[in-house]
Amino acid sequence: MKQKLKLLLLFLPMFFCISLLYAQDRQVTGTVKDDSGNPLANVSYQVKGTTTGGLTSEEGQFNVTVSSPSAVLVFSLVSFKKVEVTVGQKTNIEVTMVTEAGALEEVVVTALGIKREKKSLGYAVQEIKGDAIVDTREPNLANSLSG
């Protein structure tokens, strides 16, 4: 009985230390820039497979806590290609996002927020250009849409 207790007391601290080594969270910081070298604000970043993430600051800076060196950071922004970076042993990461060539698809929002393509609708759709709203010079958006 005493021998089993000694073994337990010997191995228990070892298991505790090993679990601490694997569970070490660390901070990763960095900057996100476009292909011209300008910082990008409001770029969405996320640790792949988790809900940990956020948005970059006005200077394109980010700060995130990762739990393992194999963690992958995913950066995305409209009109830019998605970038995935493996953290490894780095604590400071510089990310360059490349502009994605291509046009955005047209989306129509119908009643109750259901999105459909314009050509798939079976009923009449009115289209209002942004220039028409600007030309009315009304302080209230509802007034500029009347008529």
Side-chain angles (χ1 to χ4, degrees), residues 5-131:
L5 184 60
K6 285 181 184 179
L7 283 175
L8 181 64
L9 290 175
L10 177 68
F11 286 112
L12 189 60
M14 288 177 50
F15 287 124
F16 182 70
C17 291
I18 290 172
S19 66
L20 284 177
L21 289 175
Y22 281 109
Q24 285 185 348
D25 290 346
R26 62 188 173 103
Q27 293 290 107
V28 175
T29 59
T31 308
V32 180
K33 297 180 179 181
D34 63 5
D35 44 2
S36 303
N38 300 321
L40 289 173
N42 297 323
V43 175
S44 173
Y45 62 91
Q46 184 176 13
V47 179
K48 192 171 189 176
T50 68
T51 58
T52 304
L55 297 174
T56 60
S57 67
E58 294 295 320
E59 296 83 28
Q61 297 175 345
F62 67 92
N63 187 0
V64 66
T65 303
V66 295
S67 59
S68 75
S70 62
V72 177
L73 297 176
V74 180
F75 298 89
S76 62
L77 183 64
V78 174
S79 77
F80 286 89
K81 291 184 181 179
K82 190 181 286 188
V83 177
E84 293 187 5
V85 178
T86 304
V87 174
Q89 297 301 320
K90 302 178 220 165
T91 57
N92 191 355
I93 297 175
E94 296 291 323
V95 178
T96 302
M97 297 190 74
V98 180
T99 307
E100 186 172 37
L104 296 174
E105 291 183 27
E106 185 177 87
V107 175
V108 176
V109 179
T110 62
L112 302 174
I114 301 169
K115 296 179 181 181
R116 300 261 166 80
E117 288 186 35
K118 186 176 180 179
K119 60 185 171 189
S120 70
L121 296 175
Y123 48 86
V125 176
Q126 293 181 344
E127 184 175 330
I128 300 173
K129 302 270 186 203
D131 295 338

